[in-house]
Amino acid sequence: MNYKDVTPQNLLKITTLGQLRAAGYEPKSVKQELRDNLIAKLRNKEEVFPGIWGYEETVIPDMQRAILSMHHINLLGLRGQAKTRLARMLVELLDEYIPVVAGSELNDDPLQPLSVFAKHLIQEKGDDTPVAWMHRSERYTEKLATPDVSVADLIGDADPIKAATLKLPYSDERVIHFGLIPRSHRGIFVINELPDLQARIQVSLFNILQEGDIQIRGFKVRLPLDIQFVFTANPEDYTNRGSIVTPLKDRIDSQIITHYPKSIEVGKKITLQEARIHEEQQQIVTTNQLVSDLIEQVAMEARESEFVDAKSGVSARLTISAYENTISAAERRALINGETQTFVRITDFLAAVPALTGKVELVYEGEQEGPSIVAQKLMGKAIRNQFLNYFPDPDKQKKLKEQNAYKKITDWFGEGNTLDVLQDMSAAEYNKSLNSVPGLSALVDKLHSKSDAQTKLFLMEFCLHGLAEHSLISRNKLTAGLQFKDLLSSMFTMPTFSDDDDDEEDYGKRKKR
């Protein structure tokens, strides 16, 4: 019988060591398993790491080369670069089931037992030794490196309670309580944030990585463990919490550098895949590509911003949270106004500031500005840069004078008119408000004639924000939204959009009048 041809259903029917031998089973290391299954996937043109976007030409080939080389792996990169997800997906390259000695603490291979328990059981029962089957999902262990992690946690230690219960002396190997690593024998073991692990604990990994065995204090025990190690870490120059000790780094065979999405399109794929948008939100809120582009642009602006610590990085979680917040802002407005359908607005995008403030680590200059102001500035830059993809460059239009595409709009504000765009405006109020600006609807109709009515309204609001970013009109923050007005008059009456001073009282007085 060829063991490789036995179906998983038939494998589960094998319950003894004798039956396993008869099936033609041969031991295989976990690294060989990963290698063989990767080779099969590559030959069959199957996707090896589905759902991982932007790494097709960089990280994924490096991962595949490391697996083919049967290397231990260190994934080095900034926060939110899918390092842990990559490690978890290695499980799919394991065989679906492997045989273990039933009741074994160390997942002993029936033909290559390690533990005293398994050896004694096989010696006693021979071919009648009970065999259990371990699914690949049970062969993955993950440990976050924290300051309280001890050698006993990872490797093991003598257990006095076990010794007393079994009435065994401390010299007996059976009193050992094995740690996480020995219990991950024949599986994948991941240590997240490796630099956070104390140096003396990192030293305890030397033998495991190089010789593949463990040593537990006071015992002459050598266990040739079979483990695929994967580590994740931030660059050492970023973290002040610790570093990877040089001899340990030397023992990790492949160090793979991860990175952030290199284009907005890749970033959008990641965000839309990971964002948790509930079904009822999808039924109420309609969005568009520009919203997603703006959100991804914010992340790119943050990664280049002088206010944000580049060594810390800007996680993909920022765009995911911002997208969720934007959809929720639109949903909230619809619920308040009793509407069953709504279209996302720029004001919804700007309401996602809370998703940004906790996701970026500011340098000194950023701390002086304040996280909320920095977030608003990043959103403003995103609008400014995306604006040129949809509307003519305002700087070039200034030179055209009478042919200036924005002249009607700016002249209207120059005559002293103002426009309030509030967060909770109903659809009817929003429509009426935007259409009250002369030339705005005509400009959008001319440039985007094929867009539907809701998208045109969105672009009308977007146009006003873009003009404000290019200093053709002013945009000021109100208690419940924004106000657009002439740039010159705003210098004497109201703070700018990024000013954090409260203007609720002034706005309230104007409303009463």
Side-chain angles (χ1 to χ4, degrees):
M1 183 185 295
N2 190 342
Y3 177 80
K4 294 180 181 178
D5 297 331
V6 182
T7 63
Q9 292 78 7
N10 289 329
L11 283 178
L12 298 178
K13 295 176 182 178
I14 297 174
T15 58
T16 65
L17 178 55
Q19 293 173 341
L20 188 64
R21 282 199 179 103
Y25 169 77
E26 294 179 1
K28 183 194 292 186
S29 72
V30 64
K31 289 183 178 180
Q32 188 66 52
E33 241 181 271
L34 292 168
R35 175 183 161 82
D36 290 348
N37 291 325
L38 174 60
I39 289 172
K41 281 183 177 287
L42 292 177
R43 283 178 174 165
N44 295 331
K45 308 297 182 185
E46 295 180 35
E47 193 173 4
V48 181
F49 295 100
I52 300 295
W53 303 106
Y55 286 171
E56 294 84 357
E57 305 299 328
T58 53
V59 177
I60 289 177
D62 286 342
M63 285 288 289
Q64 293 172 351
R65 284 187 280 268
I67 294 167
L68 292 172
S69 301
M70 299 198 292
H71 282 178
H72 294 303
I73 299 169
N74 181 30
L75 294 168
L76 184 68
L78 297 173
R79 63 176 77 172
Q81 291 185 351
K83 299 186 295 293
T84 303
R85 169 165 286 199
L86 277 169
R88 290 175 178 175
M89 295 183 81
L90 286 176
V91 172
E92 297 305 315
L93 291 176
L94 295 172
D95 290 344
E96 188 171 1
Y97 288 99
I98 60 168
V100 297
V101 176
S104 167
E105 188 180 7
L106 300 184
N107 310 321
D108 288 273
D109 189 314
L111 298 185
Q112 289 182 341
L114 285 186
S115 67
V116 174
F117 168 83
K119 289 176 181 177
H120 286 177
L121 188 62
I122 292 173
Q123 187 176 6
E124 177 187 343
K125 296 196 173 184
D127 282 351
D128 293 329
T129 302
V131 169
W133 292 91
M134 191 175 192
H135 191 260
R136 58 186 165 211
S137 60
E138 302 175 86
R139 299 171 63 193
Y140 178 88
T141 306
E142 185 176 303
K143 178 63 179 174
L144 176 64
T146 53
D148 62 327
V149 174
S150 66
V151 175
D153 293 333
L154 294 180
I155 310 299
D157 204 349
D159 185 348
I161 297 176
K162 200 172 185 180
T165 303
L166 299 176
K167 297 180 180 179
L168 297 171
Y170 263 32
S171 58
D172 194 307
E173 190 178 324
R174 288 173 290 177
V175 305
I176 297 174
H177 173 72
F178 293 106
L180 285 173
I181 291 177
R183 284 187 274 133
S184 301
H185 177 52
R186 303 175 71 200
I188 298 169
F189 189 82
V190 177
I191 296 181
N192 279 323
E193 307 299 342
L194 182 59
D196 286 351
L197 203 62
Q198 296 181 45
R200 64 183 182 85
I201 311 300
Q202 292 184 35
V203 170
S204 69
L205 301 175
F206 288 0
N207 252 43
I208 302 171
L209 289 174
Q210 191 64 47
E211 286 78 27
D213 63 18
I214 62 166
Q215 298 172 359
I216 296 177
R217 62 174 178 177
F219 290 95
K220 293 181 179 179
V221 55
R222 183 180 184 278
L223 295 177
L225 297 173
D226 176 25
I227 297 174
Q228 169 67 58
F229 278 95
V230 181
F231 305 97
T232 73
N234 286 313
E236 286 184 52
D237 59 349
Y238 151 56
T239 175
N240 294 319
R241 301 165 296 182
S243 63
I244 305 173
V245 298
T246 306
L248 178 60
K249 194 186 299 182
D250 183 56
R251 286 168 165 82
I252 301 173
D253 308 295
S254 287
Q255 180 166 279
I256 298 172
I257 310 297
T258 59
H259 57 80
Y260 287 121
K262 295 182 179 180
S263 71
I264 284 180
E265 290 305 314
V266 171
K268 284 197 294 186
K269 284 183 178 180
I270 296 170
T271 300
L272 294 175
Q273 175 181 277
E274 301 300 321
R276 295 166 295 182
I277 306 302
H278 302 289
E279 187 177 342
E280 55 265 36
Q281 290 180 313
Q282 294 175 358
Q283 293 173 353
I284 296 174
V285 181
T286 304
T287 184
N288 59 34
Q289 287 299 316
L290 178 51
V291 174
S292 297
D293 289 344
L294 285 170
I295 290 170
E296 298 304 325
Q297 189 71 47
V298 169
M300 291 193 166
E301 296 295 340
R303 288 166 190 149
E304 300 294 328
S305 174
E306 60 184 351
F307 298 122
V308 178
D309 187 357
K311 293 179 180 179
S312 171
V314 178
S315 169
R317 299 182 190 96
L318 180 147
T319 57
I320 295 166
S321 296
Y323 186 79
E324 292 170 347
N325 255 14
T326 300
I327 299 299
S328 295
E331 180 190 26
R332 175 183 176 275
R333 182 183 61 254
L335 294 171
I336 289 173
N337 292 313
E339 298 168 349
T340 57
Q341 292 285 320
T342 191
F343 198 92
V344 72
R345 304 172 186 172
I346 296 293
T347 47
D348 300 325
F349 164 67
L350 296 174
V353 166
L356 275 65
T357 52
K359 296 288 191 301
V360 292
E361 192 166 332
L362 304 179
V363 295
Y364 177 76
E365 292 81 0
E367 294 289 354
Q368 294 300 303
E369 290 284 336
S372 180
I373 302 301
V374 170
Q376 291 172 10
K377 286 185 175 181
L378 293 175
M379 288 176 155
K381 284 187 175 182
I383 291 172
R384 181 185 177 92
N385 286 329
Q386 284 295 322
F387 182 75
L388 300 180
N389 295 332
Y390 293 84
F391 292 94
D393 187 342
D395 294 332
K396 294 179 180 178
Q397 291 295 311
K398 289 178 185 177
K399 300 174 184 178
L400 300 179
K401 297 182 180 179
E402 292 301 321
Q403 287 74 35
N404 186 335
Y406 305 114
K407 189 174 187 305
K408 279 188 178 181
I409 301 170
T410 54
D411 285 351
W412 185 77
F413 285 108
E415 293 168 0
N417 295 298
T418 63
L419 177 70
D420 293 347
V421 180
L422 307 182
Q423 291 176 355
D424 299 334
M425 291 178 82
S426 67
E429 292 172 328
Y430 180 70
N431 191 333
K432 180 180 178 182
S433 181
L434 290 174
N435 279 294
S436 68
V437 182
L440 184 57
S441 178
L443 176 62
V444 172
D445 283 337
K446 179 181 177 181
L447 297 173
H448 304 280
S449 57
K450 295 182 179 179
S451 298
D452 59 57
Q454 292 297 331
T455 301
K456 286 180 180 178
L457 281 173
F458 178 89
L459 289 169
M460 287 167 68
E461 184 190 0
F462 180 53
C463 181
L464 294 177
H465 285 274
L467 294 178
E469 288 299 326
H470 284 84
S471 301
L472 294 184
I473 59 176
S474 77
R475 175 183 55 193
N476 303 298
K477 187 177 179 183
L478 302 176
T479 307
L482 300 169
Q483 184 180 75
F484 295 94
K485 63 189 303 185
D486 179 55
L487 184 64
L488 185 62
S489 65
S490 69
M491 295 179 181
F492 302 101
T493 58
M494 292 191 69
T496 63
F497 169 65
S498 59
D499 198 327
D500 210 25
D501 294 336
D502 292 334
D503 54 23
E504 292 91 338
E505 294 181 5
D506 290 341
Y507 178 67
K509 291 175 182 177
R510 288 196 304 276
K511 292 289 283 185
K512 289 178 182 178
R513 292 174 189 169

